Amino acid sequence: GKTRLAQAVLRRAEQRAVYFIPLAGVTTDEDVLAEVATAVRAGESPRTRAAAPSHDLVNGVVAAIGPGPALLVLDNCEHVLRGVARLVHALVARTAELRVLTTGRAPLGLTSESVYRLPELSLPTMVELFTQRAQAARPDVALEPDAVEEICRHLDGLPLAVELAAARVRVMSVAEIAKRLDDRFSLLRGGV
């Protein structure tokens, strides 16, 4: 979904400098700046920079990105929105030609922000995605079309939910997955 779209944007980017920084592993708002600084090689290590004032790190990120057009993609921001918003605000205030693309389930709340909400997947697209992921997880899986469609109808057009459900074919039949979708959150988290 969001990550694939961000990667497609990266492939077509016209900026001279392009950075893709996944934030899924970042646990606190305070760690966002150090993660970005590490990714753009703005200093030594996150531990060393942890002692540095944040304005020094922001200046280091700006210097590492350099002058001229650049694209910074921050992927999976929903759990560290405040940290991302602070960083993006500081960076765009210091750089004229930097564009920042963030992916997440909520906007940053910045005045200069443009929000593009991705539409839900269509049922045929969900079925195709489920089929691809299920066959990747277990090539010999039996995919009953009616059961696959039933599963996909319950997953609200969310690509991640489809992928998680498809991965369950390693331990369950498609019909079993469809039957257990009444408690889909338990099923998709790994409960059986």
Side-chain angles (χ1 to χ4, degrees), residues 15 69-73 92 95-101:
Q15 289 84 354
L71 174 63
L72 179 66
V73 177
V92 298
T95 56
E97 295 186 78
L98 175 66
R99 295 292 175 258
V100 181
L101 171 65

Side-chain angles (χ1 to χ4, degrees), residues 133-185:
R133 296 301 187 262
Q135 289 173 336
R138 195 172 113 204
D140 65 337
V141 67
L143 296 171
E144 305 88 17
D146 292 341
V148 171
E149 281 192 23
E150 181 181 344
I151 290 168
C152 292
R153 278 193 197 92
H154 281 84
L155 297 177
D156 301 328
L158 300 172
L160 179 59
V162 173
E163 292 191 25
L164 292 172
R168 301 300 289 158
V169 302
R170 288 186 186 114
V171 295
M172 303 170 78
S173 72
V174 173
E176 289 172 317
I177 295 169
K179 286 179 191 172
R180 295 185 183 210
L181 279 175
D182 289 337
D183 188 9
R184 66 181 169 198
F185 297 112

Side-chain angles (χ1 to χ4, degrees), residues 112-127:
S112 61
E113 180 177 32
S114 296
V115 176
Y116 178 77
R117 297 199 186 277
L118 295 179
E120 293 180 0
L121 294 179
S122 67
L123 183 59
T125 302
M126 290 176 65
V127 168

